[in-house]
Amino acid sequence: MTGKWKKRSIAVLIAALLWAQVGFSPVKAVEADVSPSTALYDEILEKEAAWLAGLQFESGAIPTYSAPLDNYNGKYKVIPYFTNIGLLGLLEKPEYAPVVKKYMDWYFAHLNREGNATTPAGSVYDYFIETDRWTEVSVGDFDSTDSYASTFINLLRKYVEVTGDSAYLLEHKEDIKLVASAMTATKQADGLTWAKPAYKVKFLMDNTEVYKGLKDMEWISSQVFREEDTASVYRQLKE
């Protein structure tokens, strides 16, 4: 199963598990004209947020699973794409913003700063982490380069909107621009991106994520960096 199909399967599985645990069917609710309890979802949100924040290692990394897995050779694994998306949800609870900032520190520290034919500068590999929860070993690959970068840029914008901490993005301005370059490194003449240099497939999923990444880089460039010329570049790429 490819990484892309895994993402879709996981999304369906999560929805099914929630419906099974909560005992709520959206279809039946519509048929019965009944609204679910807001308090119920608030409780679920709080529990999920606390669980997700509790996964974070001292380094700032957040693994995909809460325990080492046999198919990861008894190690933890960090897949930044999933972490980026998970933390977008965590920011719905602003009190967890420090967790997000600590992870973003980890992401910046693990940027591939020198690009090559298969690894764009500004990309980030997946990592295995030993059971000491500290020792890291790069996988030397990623599921994609366009979506990893774009979802991280989404996280940066939402972090500023939630916290008002523009100074953090200004401190990492050049790194953010490097991440944005990884997002567009596989862009083709038709404006669409390959998933990564070694996997020349244009996924609808990835390209909608890149579109949002370009939109957020336009916003960051204009509202945080105060660089209208740079914002214009991302606007044109988006269009």
Side-chain angles (χ1 to χ4, degrees), residues 95-111:
E95 61 267 33
Y96 289 106
V99 173
V100 176
K101 185 176 182 179
K102 190 173 183 179
Y103 164 74
M104 294 192 299
D105 286 341
W106 180 90
Y107 193 100
F108 284 130
H110 289 74
L111 291 181

Side-chain angles (χ1 to χ4, degrees), residues 80-228:
Y81 174 85
F82 292 123
T83 307
N84 296 343
I85 292 176
L87 294 187
L88 280 168
L90 191 63
L91 283 173
E92 292 297 315
K93 305 287 289 184
E95 61 267 33
Y96 289 106
V99 173
V100 176
K101 185 176 182 179
K102 190 173 183 179
Y103 164 74
M104 294 192 299
D105 286 341
W106 180 90
Y107 193 100
F108 284 130
H110 289 74
L111 291 181
N112 296 310
R113 298 185 178 279
E114 299 296 329
N116 57 45
T118 59
T119 302
S123 60
V124 172
Y125 290 136
D126 294 344
Y127 279 82
F128 285 121
I129 299 183
E130 300 289 348
T131 53
D132 62 7
R133 300 165 63 93
W134 186 266
T135 305
E136 300 178 342
V137 179
S138 169
V139 176
D141 200 5
F142 22 55
D143 186 56
S144 65
T145 54
D146 55 358
S147 289
Y148 279 42
S150 63
T151 52
F152 184 70
I153 291 168
N154 300 158
L155 189 62
L156 290 167
R157 174 175 177 173
K158 187 164 184 177
Y159 172 79
V160 172
E161 290 180 322
V162 168
T163 66
D165 185 12
S166 298
Y168 181 79
L169 270 64
L170 287 167
E171 177 186 350
H172 292 281
K173 181 168 72 170
E174 297 309 316
D175 286 344
I176 293 170
K177 290 182 177 181
L178 194 63
V179 172
S181 73
M183 174 174 63
T184 58
T186 58
K187 186 178 75 67
Q188 301 305 295
D190 59 5
L192 301 177
T193 56
W194 292 330
K196 58 182 179 179
Y199 197 63
K200 299 178 180 181
V201 177
K202 299 167 185 173
F203 287 100
L204 173 62
M205 178 178 181
D206 289 42
N207 278 280
T208 55
E209 289 169 337
V210 169
Y211 180 87
K212 182 62 164 66
L214 292 169
K215 183 176 181 179
D216 288 350
M217 270 305 296
E218 178 188 353
W219 184 89
I220 289 169
S221 299
S222 176
Q223 302 301 313
V224 179
F225 299 161
R226 303 298 179 184
E227 296 179 354
E228 291 301 329

Side-chain angles (χ1 to χ4, degrees), residues 15-26 28-29 36 40-41 44:
L17 286 173
L18 281 174
W19 294 342
Q21 292 173 11
V22 174
F24 169 68
S25 167
K28 290 180 179 178
L40 173 61
Y41 286 103
I44 292 172

